[in-house]
Amino acid sequence: MSTTRLPVPDRSPRLREALLAAAFTADGLLDLLGAPAYAALARSETVPALRATRGASPLDTLVRLFLLQCPVPHERARAALPLAECMEDGWVVRAGDEVRAAVDVRPYSGPEEQDWYIVSDLGCSVGGAGGIGSREEGVVLGVGGASATLAGITVRTPVASALDIGTGSGIQALHASQHAGRVTATDLNPRALEFTRLTLALSGAPAADLRLGSLYEPVGTEKYDLVVSNPPFVISPGARLTYRDGGMGGDDLCRTLVQQTGDRLNEGGYAHFLANWQHVEGEEWQNRLSSWVPYGCDAWIVQREVQDVTQYAELWLRDSGDHRTDPAEYAARYDAWLDEFEARRTRSVGFGWITLRKSAAAAAGNPSVVIEEWPHAVEQPLGPAVQAHFARQDYLREQDDAALLAGRFALAAEVVQEQVGLPGAEDPEHVVLRQNRGMRRATKVDAVGAGFAGVCDGTLPAGRILDAIAQLMNEDPVLLRDRTPQAIRLLVEEGFLEPVGSAE
């Protein structure tokens, strides 16, 4: 584990003032670097940013110092920072006539355009096809795509308490601090807790209750209204790297984390996780994941990607820079991964999101468990869509077919209809309803479904709309009422129709 001394946060407000004064913010970086160079940084490509920061402004200096980790002249650093304090507190170190950063400090824009800063180990800001390339066991990463994804899917309603498990550099705790009265952050790596402290302090956010330990061990039997975790979910042979390798066999860490959550959530509370899971020979992956869902919880699990075992091993070998080592060593590590998968009969690995919600209906033996594959583009942030999903599940659990036909519905915002068929044909082969928000789903409907959805504006109950459609299409209204509720349920469940009340 790295033993580099970390900065102390005591005078971070002064450093924050200097960073803001120099426009060392997400917007300021975009203005200085331009969109191409700014995007290249996310891929760990620094040449465009180096070319854009050849000036002598405080912002040029700070970008080179903290983002690009280039030494800068002492005089330029003093013009951009309260340098004596920063050196004394350990943010920067002097090397001859130059100053270099001791940590990575990266501007990050909050959900309401707050100017935040994520502090992590040097060279570990995350990004690029080659991974971070670090093989240090205790390294602490900055914010990457996975962290941003988790932040985006989290329900952001005001809560009394929130728990961030495996906090890393503190990005999830930082988000939670904006809507939780109390934030607890845990990590197995004590260095990560110190980085979280720095991230919160430099971002001007309230301090969190930081606790050392694995999974729920540091919080005992305490309960929370919100739990979030981007855990070390990588399925690997051994626990070589703390930031990614869980140290349990296969996907046991993710399973254990999910299964233990039911006892840690307050009624109505949400838990959001990123996870990997094995696709095991002779076992349906959906059944594997449904067994993880704890008693008393509803669940929505979305598989976003699947990789075969060779792709998966190569991804994480590149992540740790093993592809740049001795070829024999690389081959041995690769072989060990394949041995692990073969022993566990694993043919591929899934990645996705797991959301739990503690509910009275689930505790009464009627949980809603939705497990699906959705590799398509979505609109972030998805937190509102996640909350709406569970609200729709609550509604559908309470409606039998008669109640559903008595209900009134409105077509969700930004749903469009597409007709698919041969050019010039009188009638389409099929009709597709497509969402342009949230999950951006698409579903095929028949003529009745298309006509029903098109008429739904919240004024007429579903049964009366079906009666009118039956008359227009010369169908038996009783038979149409009998066969249509299941289609209505699907349109409601997937968010194409929104319940607005009952009129019969």
Side-chain angles (χ1 to χ4, degrees):
M1 181 179 295
S2 176
T3 57
T4 305
R5 181 176 77 90
L6 294 181
V8 294
D10 301 357
R11 289 182 286 193
S12 55
R14 287 260 293 151
L15 174 56
R16 175 176 171 81
E17 289 175 7
L19 301 180
L20 293 175
F24 186 63
T25 62
D27 288 342
L29 288 182
L30 183 59
D31 290 341
L32 173 68
L33 302 179
Y38 189 77
L41 276 180
R43 304 189 299 270
S44 293
E45 296 292 348
T46 59
V47 172
L50 286 167
R51 292 174 60 86
T53 56
R54 289 180 289 194
S57 73
L59 182 54
D60 290 315
T61 300
L62 293 173
V63 172
R64 284 186 166 247
L65 182 65
F66 285 121
L67 258 66
L68 306 179
Q69 277 109 56
C70 296
V72 300
H74 182 270
E75 291 305 313
R76 284 183 55 183
R78 189 168 61 180
L81 295 167
L83 187 57
E85 290 180 6
C86 288
M87 292 176 63
E88 183 179 345
D89 292 347
W91 293 95
V92 298
V93 294
R94 186 164 184 173
D97 293 331
E98 294 182 319
V99 172
R100 59 179 177 81
V103 291
D104 184 298
V105 177
R106 192 153 301 248
Y108 179 84
S109 183
E112 297 179 2
E113 300 185 358
Q114 301 100 321
D115 291 317
W116 289 343
Y117 298 96
I118 310 301
V119 188
S120 64
D121 271 313
L122 291 172
C124 296
S125 59
V126 185
I132 67 164
S134 175
R135 308 176 80 195
E136 285 197 63
E137 189 270 338
V139 71
V140 177
L141 275 60
V143 61
S147 300
T149 294
L150 179 59
I153 67 173
T154 300
V155 173
R156 298 294 175 191
T157 53
V159 294
S161 58
L163 172 63
D164 176 16
I165 299 175
T167 186
S169 57
I171 178 61
Q172 308 305 329
L174 180 56
H175 275 279
S177 71
Q178 305 303 293
H179 63 102
R182 174 174 59 88
V183 176
T184 302
T186 72
D187 206 288
L188 186 63
N189 181 1
R191 187 176 177 83
L193 298 180
E194 292 307 310
F195 271 116
T196 293
R197 192 189 312 277
L198 294 170
T199 289
L200 294 172
L202 195 57
S203 298
D209 177 7
L210 304 176
R211 304 189 192 182
L212 182 66
S214 177
L215 301 182
Y216 288 105
E217 179 187 45
V219 300
T221 59
E222 295 176 35
K223 293 188 176 184
Y224 297 85
D225 303 308
L226 173 67
V227 176
V228 294
S229 182
N230 178 14
F233 53 68
V234 176
I235 300 171
S236 61
R240 189 161 57 113
L241 300 173
T242 301
Y243 73 86
R244 70 170 204 192
D245 301 324
M248 297 185 186
D251 52 19
D252 283 356
L253 182 134
C254 291
R255 176 186 57 79
T256 300
L257 176 61
V258 173
Q259 288 181 334
Q260 291 182 352
T261 298
D263 294 332
R264 271 59 177 215
L265 278 179
N266 289 321
E267 179 72 20
Y270 285 91
H272 305 274
F273 309 110
L274 300 185
N276 275 178
W277 43 80
Q278 297 168 177
H279 286 220
V280 177
E281 185 179 344
E283 180 181 359
E284 293 294 331
W285 67 269
Q286 295 94 334
N287 293 339
R288 184 180 189 83
L289 289 176
S290 67
S291 71
W292 293 9
V293 179
Y295 169 79
C297 287
D298 301 318
W300 185 20
I301 302 174
V302 182
Q303 180 166 273
R304 296 287 288 158
E305 184 180 0
V306 180
Q307 291 184 318
D308 67 49
V309 292
T310 59
Q311 291 174 309
Y312 189 81
E314 290 161 14
L315 169 67
W316 294 109
L317 287 167
R318 287 194 303 270
D319 171 80
S320 56
D322 287 301
H323 61 307
R324 294 191 290 268
T325 63
D326 175 72
E329 182 181 348
Y330 173 78
R333 290 197 183 280
Y334 198 155
D335 212 32
W337 284 72
L338 297 185
D339 284 344
E340 176 80 4
F341 287 132
E342 184 177 344
R344 296 182 178 277
R345 298 183 295 113
T346 302
R347 51 185 175 82
S348 56
V349 178
F351 167 81
W353 319 322
I354 298 176
T355 296
L356 305 176
R357 186 193 58 164
K358 192 73 170 286
S359 78
N366 187 23
S368 165
V369 178
V370 176
I371 302 174
E372 61 177 322
E373 187 164 15
W374 189 253
H376 311 293
V378 299
E379 180 194 45
Q380 286 278 29
L382 267 175
V386 172
Q387 190 174 13
H389 166 88
F390 287 98
R392 293 193 300 269
Q393 296 301 316
D394 287 343
Y395 171 82
L396 291 171
R397 272 189 292 212
E398 296 170 356
Q399 310 299 313
D400 60 17
D401 286 356
L404 204 65
L405 293 175
R408 291 179 286 117
F409 303 92
L411 193 65
E414 298 194 39
V415 171
V416 298
Q417 175 179 299
E418 299 174 358
Q419 295 185 348
V420 181
L422 294 174
E426 184 175 347
D427 296 314
E429 293 180 10
H430 60 264
V431 175
V432 173
L433 299 181
R434 188 177 302 277
Q435 302 168 348
N436 287 319
R437 304 297 302 273
M439 291 291 286
R440 293 178 173 165
R441 296 185 187 278
T443 188
K444 187 188 299 185
V445 294
D446 60 14
V448 172
F452 180 85
V455 173
C456 283
D457 61 2
T459 59
L460 292 174
R464 292 186 186 177
I465 294 175
L466 291 177
D467 291 343
I469 291 174
Q471 186 174 4
L472 287 172
M473 300 182 67
N474 294 318
E475 290 206 30
D476 185 327
V478 175
L479 293 179
L480 193 61
R481 279 180 173 242
D482 283 345
R483 77 168 192 257
T484 306
Q486 187 57 39
I488 296 175
R489 286 184 186 277
L490 180 62
L491 291 175
V492 172
E493 180 175 338
E494 295 191 340
F496 291 95
L497 294 178
E498 298 175 347
V500 296
S502 178
E504 288 190 349

